[in-house]
Amino acid sequence: MLVAERLYGQHGLDGVSLRQLATAAGQANNYVVQHYFGSKLGLIQAVSEMRLPAMEAHRQTLLEVARAEGDFSVPRLLSCLFSPLVTMLEVQAMRDYARFTLAVMQLEPEEHPFERSADISPASTEIRSKLSESLSHLGADVFRRRLALSASIFLNGISELGGKLKLSPGGYVSHQQYHSDIFEAALAVLTCPFSAEPRADFRGPPAQPALADDMAGASRRPSRPAAPTG
């Protein structure tokens, strides 16, 4: 499962065969995934749930502290959801987990392991519910999209640690500072004002009639008599 998490995160869910996973994991049996997990989706589900119990336990603890302090603000709730990723995992594990989760987010809803894990992720479910209540002015569809975008920003950010991101005195001087900065960016996506009216600089040109409509209109117009040829 660790090998699958790493390779799926690096190459995408369609970029690695089950045989390659078996070989990378040091298994002589090329059908080891089918034997233990039944299918590729079974393996993805197992990998998705691999770190979930520890994460959920920590999120539950953070929720109880927030409850005791009477603070269910959006920043506090989002921190309960995201902070375990950076406080519980070493850098390499954090990168692998983030990249794998980003790959899984591309699956169709019916194949998505997060929904199937709802019964073993009560803390995350409660956090999402409270966030939805606090941001009810967005509407359900906008909220779901905003939360997905917020998660993508945070996951993309932490996936760069130890790779593209190099700490330096002229930029991010510590992992903690970097984590805080990308959290603020993720929070901003979730909480920025929503307007149903698009910005003027994002409006496209006036809609043009479809070609099919033009042809249909032409067919309804009376035809002109042919010009005399003699």
Side-chain angles (χ1 to χ4, degrees):
M1 288 192 291
L2 288 169
V3 168
E5 181 185 60
R6 174 171 53 84
L7 294 184
Y8 278 146
Q10 289 176 351
H11 305 292
L13 300 182
D14 295 325
V16 188
S17 69
L18 298 184
R19 184 181 296 248
Q20 288 172 320
L21 287 176
T23 300
Q27 299 289 329
N29 180 5
N30 289 327
Y31 298 95
V32 65
V33 170
Q34 293 89 328
H35 177 74
Y36 285 106
F37 304 101
S39 65
K40 175 180 175 179
L41 283 178
L43 173 62
I44 291 171
Q45 185 72 37
V47 175
S48 180
E49 296 179 357
M50 176 174 59
R51 303 186 190 276
L52 201 52
M55 292 277 191
E56 283 297 295
H58 190 42
R59 286 182 179 122
Q60 192 63 54
T61 298
L62 295 174
L63 268 177
E64 293 305 321
V65 174
R67 198 185 318 275
E69 297 177 358
D71 181 8
F72 280 141
S73 63
V74 172
R76 185 68 174 270
L77 289 167
L78 198 64
S79 176
C80 291
L81 189 62
F82 290 165
S83 64
L85 278 65
V86 300
T87 60
M88 297 186 64
L89 299 176
E90 298 294 333
V91 170
Q92 186 58 54
M94 181 176 64
R95 289 182 65 201
D96 292 344
Y97 177 81
R99 289 177 173 180
F100 171 78
T101 305
L102 285 166
V104 167
M105 288 173 69
Q106 305 303 314
L107 287 172
E108 295 297 327
E110 63 271 14
E111 299 178 338
H112 216 292
F114 300 159
E115 296 299 326
R116 301 179 187 181
S117 303
D119 59 333
I120 60 172
S121 52
S124 293
T125 300
E126 181 179 355
I127 291 169
R128 284 194 295 267
S129 177
K130 289 186 180 300
L131 282 170
S132 179
E133 292 173 7
S134 297
L135 299 167
S136 59
H137 63 282
L138 293 176
D141 289 343
V142 174
F143 169 74
R144 282 194 296 269
R145 175 50 49 195
R146 287 269 190 102
L147 186 58
L149 288 171
S150 178
S152 295
I153 287 173
F154 193 77
L155 290 167
N156 269 295
I158 64 176
S159 74
E160 293 185 356
L161 275 174
K164 297 178 183 177
L165 176 71
K166 303 297 182 185
L167 302 181
S168 68
Y172 298 104
V173 298
S174 68
H175 288 179
Q176 292 78 11
Q177 183 191 33
Y178 179 68
H179 296 154
S180 296
D181 194 42
I182 60 170
F183 174 79
E184 293 296 334
L187 177 63
V189 166
L190 195 59
T191 58
C192 67
F194 173 74
S195 173
E197 186 67 23
R199 289 172 54 97
D201 45 346
F202 280 89
R203 294 186 184 128
Q208 298 296 322
L211 178 61
D213 292 341
D214 289 347
M215 295 178 66
S219 67
R220 290 192 294 268
R221 290 193 292 269
S223 59
R224 297 179 180 177
T229 57

